[in-house]
Amino acid sequence: MQEKIQAAITAVGGYVPEYRLTNKILETMVDTNDEWIKTRTGVEERRILKGEGKATSDMGAPAVLDLCKKRGIDPAEIDCIICCTVTADMLFPATANLIAHKVGAVNCFGFDLGAACSGFLFGVTTGTAFIESGRYKKVVVVGADKMSAIVDYSDRTTCILFGDGAGAVLLEPGEPGFGVMDSILKSDGSGGKFLHQKAGGSLKPSSMETVAAKEHYIYQEGQAVFKFAVVGMADVAYELLQRNNLTGEDISWLVPHQANKRIIDATANRIGIPSQKVMLNIQKFGNTTSATIPLCLWEWENKLKKGDNLVFAAFGGGFTWGSTLVKWAYDPK
Ligand code: UT7
Protein backbone atom coordinates (compact mmCIF):
# COMPACT_ATOMS: atom_id res chain seq x y z
CA MET A 1 0.00 0.00 0.00
CA GLN A 2 1.27 3.49 -0.86
CA GLU A 3 2.18 5.63 2.15
CA LYS A 4 0.05 8.73 2.75
CA ILE A 5 1.59 11.89 1.29
CA GLN A 6 2.07 14.51 3.99
CA ALA A 7 1.83 18.18 2.96
CA ALA A 8 4.26 20.58 4.64
CA ILE A 9 4.90 24.30 4.64
CA THR A 10 8.38 24.58 3.14
CA ALA A 11 8.78 28.37 2.77
CA VAL A 12 7.13 31.60 3.87
CA GLY A 13 7.00 34.99 2.15
CA GLY A 14 5.54 38.33 3.10
CA TYR A 15 5.01 41.91 2.08
CA VAL A 16 3.72 44.98 3.91
CA PRO A 17 3.49 48.44 2.36
CA GLU A 18 5.74 51.18 3.72
CA TYR A 19 3.18 53.78 4.80
CA ARG A 20 2.34 53.61 8.53
CA LEU A 21 -1.07 54.87 9.61
CA THR A 22 -0.54 55.49 13.32
CA ASN A 23 -3.15 55.95 16.05
CA LYS A 24 -1.95 59.57 16.33
CA ILE A 25 -2.81 60.19 12.67
CA LEU A 26 -6.22 58.53 13.16
CA GLU A 27 -6.86 60.94 16.04
CA THR A 28 -6.83 63.73 13.45
CA MET A 29 -9.31 61.89 11.21
CA VAL A 30 -12.01 60.60 13.60
CA ASP A 31 -13.07 61.10 17.22
CA THR A 32 -10.77 58.54 18.81
CA ASN A 33 -7.60 58.35 20.84
CA ASP A 34 -4.46 56.25 21.06
CA GLU A 35 -5.30 54.98 24.55
CA TRP A 36 -8.77 53.69 23.56
CA ILE A 37 -7.46 51.95 20.44
CA LYS A 38 -4.55 50.32 22.26
CA THR A 39 -6.53 49.06 25.23
CA ARG A 40 -9.61 47.91 23.29
CA THR A 41 -7.83 46.35 20.30
CA GLY A 42 -4.03 46.24 20.75
CA VAL A 43 -3.42 48.11 17.48
CA GLU A 44 -0.83 50.91 17.40
CA GLU A 45 -0.32 51.33 13.67
CA ARG A 46 -1.23 49.65 10.39
CA ARG A 47 0.34 49.66 6.93
CA ILE A 48 -1.54 51.21 4.01
CA LEU A 49 -0.89 50.55 0.32
CA LYS A 50 -0.66 53.97 -1.31
CA GLY A 51 -0.48 54.84 -4.99
CA GLU A 52 -2.75 55.05 -7.97
CA GLY A 53 -3.33 51.68 -9.63
CA LYS A 54 -1.99 49.63 -6.70
CA ALA A 55 -4.09 46.65 -5.63
CA THR A 56 -4.09 43.45 -3.60
CA SER A 57 -2.08 41.58 -6.27
CA ASP A 58 0.71 44.19 -5.88
CA MET A 59 1.21 42.87 -2.32
CA GLY A 60 0.51 39.21 -3.09
CA ALA A 61 3.07 39.11 -5.92
CA PRO A 62 6.09 40.29 -3.85
CA ALA A 63 5.07 37.90 -1.05
CA VAL A 64 5.12 34.99 -3.53
CA LEU A 65 8.45 36.12 -5.03
CA ASP A 66 9.93 36.36 -1.51
CA LEU A 67 8.91 32.77 -0.83
CA CYS A 68 10.31 31.51 -4.17
CA LYS A 69 13.63 33.23 -3.50
CA LYS A 70 13.92 31.70 -0.02
CA ARG A 71 13.09 28.22 -1.29
CA GLY A 72 15.31 28.66 -4.35
CA ILE A 73 12.61 27.82 -6.88
CA ASP A 74 11.54 29.42 -10.14
CA PRO A 75 7.89 30.64 -10.10
CA ALA A 76 7.40 28.53 -13.23
CA GLU A 77 7.62 25.46 -10.95
CA ILE A 78 4.46 26.43 -9.03
CA ASP A 79 1.47 24.17 -9.84
CA CYS A 80 -1.28 26.19 -8.19
CA ILE A 81 -1.83 29.55 -6.46
CA ILE A 82 -4.75 29.95 -4.08
CA CYS A 83 -5.34 33.60 -3.20
CA CYS A 84 -7.39 34.10 -0.05
CA THR A 85 -8.87 37.58 -0.10
CA VAL A 86 -11.97 39.72 0.37
CA THR A 87 -10.45 42.60 -1.56
CA ALA A 88 -9.78 41.09 -4.99
CA ASP A 89 -8.28 43.53 -7.51
CA MET A 90 -11.54 43.13 -9.45
CA LEU A 91 -14.60 40.91 -9.04
CA PHE A 92 -13.08 38.87 -11.85
CA PRO A 93 -10.64 37.68 -13.05
CA ALA A 94 -9.30 36.02 -9.93
CA THR A 95 -6.50 37.88 -8.14
CA ALA A 96 -4.60 34.57 -8.01
CA ASN A 97 -4.35 34.69 -11.82
CA LEU A 98 -3.07 38.28 -11.72
CA ILE A 99 -0.47 37.33 -9.10
CA ALA A 100 0.61 34.33 -11.21
CA HIS A 101 1.04 36.62 -14.20
CA LYS A 102 3.01 39.21 -12.20
CA VAL A 103 5.45 36.66 -10.76
CA GLY A 104 5.87 34.60 -13.94
CA ALA A 105 4.12 31.50 -12.60
CA VAL A 106 3.40 30.45 -16.15
CA ASN A 107 2.63 26.79 -15.48
CA CYS A 108 0.07 27.13 -12.72
CA PHE A 109 -3.65 27.52 -12.34
CA GLY A 110 -5.07 29.83 -9.73
CA PHE A 111 -8.27 30.77 -8.02
CA ASP A 112 -9.49 33.03 -5.24
CA LEU A 113 -10.93 31.74 -2.01
CA GLY A 114 -13.31 33.85 0.05
CA ALA A 115 -13.57 33.01 3.71
CA ALA A 116 -12.76 36.48 5.11
CA CYS A 117 -10.45 36.39 8.14
CA SER A 118 -10.39 32.59 8.13
CA GLY A 119 -9.43 32.55 4.44
CA PHE A 120 -5.83 31.53 5.00
CA LEU A 121 -6.83 28.48 7.05
CA PHE A 122 -9.39 27.44 4.44
CA GLY A 123 -6.69 27.94 1.77
CA VAL A 124 -4.06 25.91 3.61
CA THR A 125 -6.54 23.09 4.15
CA THR A 126 -7.50 23.11 0.45
CA GLY A 127 -3.86 23.27 -0.70
CA THR A 128 -2.96 20.46 1.69
CA ALA A 129 -5.63 18.25 0.12
CA PHE A 130 -4.20 18.99 -3.36
CA ILE A 131 -0.74 17.86 -2.20
CA GLU A 132 -2.07 14.83 -0.30
CA SER A 133 -3.95 13.68 -3.40
CA GLY A 134 -0.61 13.31 -5.17
CA ARG A 135 -1.80 15.46 -8.06
CA TYR A 136 0.28 18.58 -7.32
CA LYS A 137 3.77 19.16 -5.91
CA LYS A 138 3.95 22.92 -5.29
CA VAL A 139 0.89 24.81 -4.09
CA VAL A 140 1.18 28.43 -2.96
CA VAL A 141 -1.41 29.80 -0.54
CA VAL A 142 -1.33 33.58 -0.39
CA GLY A 143 -3.43 35.62 2.03
CA ALA A 144 -3.62 39.18 0.73
CA ASP A 145 -5.93 42.05 1.52
CA LYS A 146 -5.99 45.75 0.76
CA MET A 147 -8.50 46.51 3.50
CA SER A 148 -7.95 50.26 3.05
CA ALA A 149 -9.94 49.91 -0.20
CA ILE A 150 -13.13 49.06 1.71
CA VAL A 151 -12.61 50.91 5.01
CA ASP A 152 -14.69 54.01 5.72
CA TYR A 153 -12.17 56.42 7.24
CA SER A 154 -14.99 58.41 8.84
CA ASP A 155 -16.22 55.36 10.82
CA ARG A 156 -14.20 55.18 14.03
CA THR A 157 -15.47 51.73 14.91
CA THR A 158 -13.83 50.05 11.89
CA CYS A 159 -11.10 52.35 10.55
CA ILE A 160 -8.94 51.81 13.62
CA LEU A 161 -8.83 48.04 13.10
CA PHE A 162 -7.74 47.23 9.58
CA GLY A 163 -4.51 47.39 7.58
CA ASP A 164 -3.04 46.14 4.30
CA GLY A 165 -0.58 43.30 3.73
CA ALA A 166 0.12 39.90 2.21
CA GLY A 167 1.69 36.67 3.39
CA ALA A 168 2.27 33.42 1.53
CA VAL A 169 3.32 29.85 2.18
CA LEU A 170 4.53 27.09 -0.12
CA LEU A 171 3.05 23.62 0.41
CA GLU A 172 5.00 20.60 -0.83
CA PRO A 173 5.06 16.87 -0.11
CA GLY A 174 7.21 16.46 2.98
CA GLU A 175 8.63 13.97 5.43
CA PRO A 176 6.04 11.73 7.15
CA GLY A 177 5.17 13.09 10.58
CA PHE A 178 5.89 16.73 9.70
CA GLY A 179 3.65 19.32 8.09
CA VAL A 180 -0.06 20.10 8.16
CA MET A 181 -1.41 17.50 10.58
CA ASP A 182 -5.06 18.42 11.06
CA SER A 183 -7.65 21.16 10.54
CA ILE A 184 -11.14 21.94 11.77
CA LEU A 185 -13.02 24.47 9.65
CA LYS A 186 -16.47 25.86 10.35
CA SER A 187 -18.91 28.35 8.85
CA ASP A 188 -22.33 29.72 9.72
CA GLY A 189 -24.11 32.00 7.26
CA SER A 190 -26.49 33.28 9.92
CA GLY A 191 -23.57 35.43 11.11
CA GLY A 192 -23.33 37.20 7.76
CA LYS A 193 -25.60 39.99 8.92
CA PHE A 194 -23.07 41.17 11.50
CA LEU A 195 -20.09 41.64 9.15
CA HIS A 196 -20.40 42.26 5.43
CA GLN A 197 -20.15 44.65 2.51
CA LYS A 198 -23.67 45.61 1.50
CA ALA A 199 -23.29 46.55 -2.17
CA GLY A 200 -21.29 45.63 -5.23
CA GLY A 201 -22.47 42.02 -5.39
CA SER A 202 -25.39 40.52 -7.30
CA LEU A 203 -27.76 41.29 -4.41
CA LYS A 204 -27.17 45.02 -4.69
CA PRO A 205 -25.16 45.98 -7.76
CA SER A 206 -23.17 49.23 -7.57
CA SER A 207 -25.16 52.38 -8.28
CA MET A 208 -25.01 56.09 -7.49
CA GLU A 209 -27.31 55.32 -4.55
CA THR A 210 -25.12 52.55 -3.09
CA VAL A 211 -22.07 54.79 -3.30
CA ALA A 212 -23.89 57.71 -1.68
CA ALA A 213 -25.12 55.41 1.11
CA LYS A 214 -21.52 54.22 1.75
CA GLU A 215 -22.55 50.63 1.09
CA HIS A 216 -19.23 49.62 -0.44
CA TYR A 217 -17.47 49.83 2.90
CA ILE A 218 -17.12 47.23 5.67
CA TYR A 219 -20.26 47.00 7.77
CA GLN A 220 -19.54 45.50 11.18
CA GLU A 221 -21.53 45.18 14.38
CA GLY A 222 -18.40 45.02 16.47
CA GLN A 223 -19.82 43.86 19.78
CA ALA A 224 -21.83 41.03 18.20
CA VAL A 225 -18.82 39.83 16.19
CA PHE A 226 -16.64 40.07 19.28
CA LYS A 227 -19.01 37.86 21.27
CA PHE A 228 -18.97 35.09 18.67
CA ALA A 229 -15.24 35.46 17.88
CA VAL A 230 -14.05 35.23 21.44
CA VAL A 231 -15.88 31.94 21.97
CA GLY A 232 -15.57 30.51 18.44
CA MET A 233 -11.83 30.92 18.01
CA ALA A 234 -11.02 29.60 21.46
CA ASP A 235 -13.42 26.64 21.23
CA VAL A 236 -12.23 25.45 17.83
CA ALA A 237 -8.56 25.60 18.88
CA TYR A 238 -9.45 23.63 22.03
CA GLU A 239 -11.39 21.05 19.99
CA LEU A 240 -8.41 20.60 17.65
CA LEU A 241 -6.00 20.00 20.54
CA GLN A 242 -8.39 17.54 22.20
CA ARG A 243 -8.84 15.63 18.95
CA ASN A 244 -5.06 15.27 18.67
CA ASN A 245 -4.53 14.39 22.35
CA LEU A 246 -2.48 17.53 22.94
CA THR A 247 -2.52 20.21 25.62
CA GLY A 248 -1.15 23.75 25.62
CA GLU A 249 2.11 22.39 27.01
CA ASP A 250 2.74 20.47 23.78
CA ILE A 251 2.39 23.61 21.70
CA SER A 252 5.39 25.76 20.77
CA TRP A 253 3.40 28.62 19.20
CA LEU A 254 -0.16 29.83 18.92
CA VAL A 255 -0.51 31.67 15.60
CA PRO A 256 -3.79 33.57 15.92
CA HIS A 257 -5.70 35.77 13.52
CA GLN A 258 -4.96 39.34 14.61
CA ALA A 259 -8.41 40.94 14.97
CA ASN A 260 -8.32 42.09 18.57
CA LYS A 261 -5.75 41.39 21.28
CA ARG A 262 -8.55 40.56 23.71
CA ILE A 263 -9.79 37.75 21.42
CA ILE A 264 -6.22 36.43 21.10
CA ASP A 265 -5.72 36.47 24.88
CA ALA A 266 -8.99 34.58 25.42
CA THR A 267 -7.91 31.88 22.94
CA ALA A 268 -4.47 31.53 24.52
CA ASN A 269 -6.05 31.23 28.00
CA ARG A 270 -8.58 28.65 26.89
CA ILE A 271 -5.92 26.30 25.52
CA GLY A 272 -3.36 27.06 28.22
CA ILE A 273 -0.67 28.82 26.18
CA PRO A 274 1.39 31.54 27.90
CA SER A 275 1.75 34.92 26.19
CA GLN A 276 5.42 34.37 25.29
CA LYS A 277 4.30 31.51 23.02
CA VAL A 278 1.73 33.63 21.17
CA MET A 279 2.68 35.31 17.90
CA LEU A 280 1.42 38.87 18.13
CA ASN A 281 1.96 41.64 15.59
CA ILE A 282 -1.44 43.33 15.73
CA GLN A 283 0.28 46.40 17.19
CA LYS A 284 2.25 46.89 13.97
CA PHE A 285 -0.09 45.72 11.23
CA GLY A 286 -3.66 45.74 12.64
CA ASN A 287 -6.12 43.31 11.10
CA THR A 288 -4.97 42.46 7.58
CA THR A 289 -7.80 39.87 7.23
CA SER A 290 -6.41 36.91 5.20
CA ALA A 291 -2.81 38.00 5.70
CA THR A 292 -2.57 38.00 9.50
CA ILE A 293 -1.50 34.39 10.05
CA PRO A 294 1.05 34.11 7.19
CA LEU A 295 2.48 37.51 8.19
CA CYS A 296 3.06 36.11 11.70
CA LEU A 297 4.83 33.07 10.21
CA TRP A 298 6.88 35.43 8.02
CA GLU A 299 8.00 37.45 11.02
CA TRP A 300 8.69 34.44 13.27
CA GLU A 301 10.13 32.10 10.60
CA ASN A 302 13.69 32.43 11.94
CA LYS A 303 12.59 31.34 15.42
CA LEU A 304 10.74 28.22 14.26
CA LYS A 305 12.44 24.85 14.61
CA LYS A 306 11.73 21.54 12.94
CA GLY A 307 9.27 19.60 15.09
CA ASP A 308 7.64 22.65 16.72
CA ASN A 309 3.89 22.23 17.15
CA LEU A 310 1.99 25.27 15.86
CA VAL A 311 -1.71 25.97 16.28
CA PHE A 312 -3.28 28.42 13.84
CA ALA A 313 -6.69 29.84 14.83
CA ALA A 314 -9.00 32.33 13.16
CA PHE A 315 -12.50 33.77 13.24
CA GLY A 316 -14.07 36.13 10.72
CA GLY A 317 -16.87 37.28 8.47
CA GLY A 318 -19.32 34.67 7.32
CA PHE A 319 -19.11 33.66 10.06
CA THR A 320 -16.13 31.47 9.32
CA TRP A 321 -13.71 30.03 11.82
CA GLY A 322 -11.20 27.29 12.24
CA SER A 323 -7.96 25.95 13.58
CA THR A 324 -5.03 24.10 12.00
CA LEU A 325 -2.30 22.03 13.61
CA VAL A 326 1.13 22.12 11.99
CA LYS A 327 4.30 20.27 12.92
CA TRP A 328 6.93 22.65 11.56
CA ALA A 329 9.00 20.91 8.90
CA TYR A 330 12.30 22.81 8.74
CA ASP A 331 14.92 24.57 10.84
CA PRO A 332 15.85 28.25 10.37
CA LYS A 333 18.08 28.75 7.32
O1 UT7 B 1 -11.50 39.97 11.95
C1 UT7 B 1 -12.85 39.96 11.66
C2 UT7 B 1 -13.68 39.77 12.85
N1 UT7 B 1 -13.79 41.01 13.57
C3 UT7 B 1 -13.54 41.05 14.86
O2 UT7 B 1 -13.15 40.07 15.45
C4 UT7 B 1 -13.83 42.36 15.58
C5 UT7 B 1 -14.62 42.08 16.82
N2 UT7 B 1 -15.01 43.29 17.54
C6 UT7 B 1 -14.11 44.07 18.21
O3 UT7 B 1 -12.92 43.84 18.14
C7 UT7 B 1 -14.64 45.15 19.09
O4 UT7 B 1 -16.04 45.00 19.24
C8 UT7 B 1 -14.34 46.60 18.58
C9 UT7 B 1 -12.87 46.89 18.68
C10 UT7 B 1 -14.83 46.77 17.15
C11 UT7 B 1 -15.07 47.62 19.46
O5 UT7 B 1 -14.66 47.43 20.82
P1 UT7 B 1 -15.74 47.28 21.98
O6 UT7 B 1 -14.98 47.13 23.23
O7 UT7 B 1 -16.67 46.19 21.58
O8 UT7 B 1 -16.43 48.69 21.96
P2 UT7 B 1 -17.98 49.03 21.82
O9 UT7 B 1 -18.43 48.88 20.43
O10 UT7 B 1 -18.71 48.31 22.92
O11 UT7 B 1 -17.95 50.57 22.19
C12 UT7 B 1 -17.61 51.04 23.51
C13 UT7 B 1 -17.61 52.56 23.49
C14 UT7 B 1 -18.82 53.16 22.81
O12 UT7 B 1 -19.14 54.37 23.49
P3 UT7 B 1 -20.33 54.43 24.57
O13 UT7 B 1 -21.55 53.98 23.83
O14 UT7 B 1 -19.92 53.45 25.65
O15 UT7 B 1 -20.33 55.85 24.99
C15 UT7 B 1 -18.33 53.51 21.44
O16 UT7 B 1 -19.03 54.57 20.83
O17 UT7 B 1 -16.47 53.02 22.75
C16 UT7 B 1 -16.90 53.92 21.73
N3 UT7 B 1 -16.01 53.78 20.60
C17 UT7 B 1 -14.85 54.46 20.48
N4 UT7 B 1 -14.27 55.37 21.26
C18 UT7 B 1 -13.08 55.86 20.86
C19 UT7 B 1 -16.15 52.96 19.52
N5 UT7 B 1 -15.09 53.10 18.70
C20 UT7 B 1 -14.28 54.01 19.28
C21 UT7 B 1 -13.06 54.58 18.90
N6 UT7 B 1 -12.49 55.49 19.72
N7 UT7 B 1 -12.42 54.22 17.76
Side-chain angles (χ1 to χ4, degrees):
M1 208 178 70
Q2 216 192 334
E3 220 175 281
K4 180 181 179 265
I5 299 170
Q6 182 91 49
I9 294 173
T10 55
V12 183
Y15 175 86
V16 286
E18 267 175 37
Y19 180 79
R20 293 160 197 262
L21 178 59
T22 62
N23 289 351
K24 279 276 162 232
I25 299 172
L26 279 171
E27 283 179 3
T28 68
M29 296 163 67
V30 287
D31 179 15
T32 191
N33 60 79
D34 178 51
E35 188 53 30
W36 191 96
I37 303 172
K38 276 201 302 221
T39 52
R40 300 287 231 189
T41 72
V43 187
E44 292 172 24
E45 59 181 42
R46 32 338 257 135
R47 301 298 181 94
I48 303 295
L49 183 66
K50 295 269 187 185
E52 198 62 30
K54 293 282 183 208
T56 294
S57 67
D58 294 300
M59 298 186 292
V64 174
L65 286 175
D66 183 27
L67 158 168
C68 290
K69 194 168 157 216
K70 284 190 197 162
R71 181 75 180 126
I73 61 163
D74 190 301
E77 293 176 50
I78 299 170
D79 296 313
C80 169
I81 295 179
I82 303 172
C83 179
C84 315
T85 187
V86 291
T87 52
D89 289 22
M90 293 175 267
L91 277 179
F92 63 91
T95 303
N97 296 353
L98 302 173
I99 292 173
H101 176 63
K102 285 180 181 176
V103 303
V106 290
N107 294 309
C108 84
F109 70 98
F111 61 92
D112 289 357
L113 187 154
C117 297
S118 313
F120 182 73
L121 297 192
F122 284 47
V124 164
T125 307
T126 306
T128 294
F130 280 166
I131 299 286
E132 286 175 349
S133 74
R135 193 173 286 246
Y136 304 109
K137 298 266 185 295
K138 286 185 171 49
V139 176
V140 168
V141 180
V142 49
D145 270 302
K146 184 187 170 190
M147 296 308 290
S148 61
I150 56 167
V151 164
D152 176 359
Y153 285 98
S154 65
D155 172 11
R156 69 175 183 171
T157 68
T158 52
C159 74
I160 53 147
L161 296 171
F162 295 97
D164 302 340
V169 297
L170 177 65
L171 293 167
E172 294 182 89
E175 241 178 277
F178 294 88
V180 184
M181 309 307 287
D182 196 11
S183 259
I184 298 176
L185 304 179
K186 305 196 184 218
S187 54
D188 176 1
S190 71
K193 58 181 177 288
F194 299 117
L195 177 52
H196 57 258
Q197 190 177 326
K198 292 191 183 300
S202 58
L203 177 66
K204 220 179 203 195
S206 313
S207 67
M208 303 285 265
E209 288 73 28
T210 61
V211 172
K214 297 185 164 191
E215 289 179 340
H216 296 269
Y217 292 128
I218 297 163
Y219 172 86
Q220 176 170 260
E221 294 178 28
Q223 265 186 21
V225 178
F226 186 92
K227 242 171 42 197
F228 284 100
V230 84
V231 175
M233 195 160 120
D235 277 358
V236 74
Y238 184 77
E239 187 183 337
L240 184 74
L241 288 195
Q242 290 254 298
R243 181 156 107 173
N244 286 276
N245 298 314
L246 297 170
T247 69
E249 285 181 12
D250 303 307
I251 302 306
S252 309
W253 294 99
L254 171 65
V255 195
H257 171 54
Q258 314 276 311
N260 188 315
K261 185 168 181 300
R262 291 182 288 147
I263 299 173
I264 294 171
D265 290 345
T267 303
N269 282 340
R270 174 91 158 90
I271 58 176
I273 295 189
S275 59
Q276 63 272 21
K277 292 208 252 166
V278 178
M279 294 188 192
L280 191 79
N281 58 15
I282 192 171
Q283 70 283 4
K284 294 197 294 190
F285 302 143
N287 181 352
T288 53
T289 302
S290 307
T292 56
I293 290 175
L295 277 177
C296 281
L297 296 175
W298 177 60
E299 284 214 296
W300 266 263
E301 190 186 14
N302 284 335
K303 292 200 181 81
L304 298 177
K305 295 189 296 298
K306 187 172 176 181
D308 280 352
N309 284 324
L310 274 58
V311 173
F312 305 167
F315 188 97
F319 292 136
T320 56
W321 66 111
S323 189
T324 297
L325 177 67
V326 169
K327 194 171 266 294
W328 199 248
Y330 58 97
D331 283 318
K333 307 237 158 70

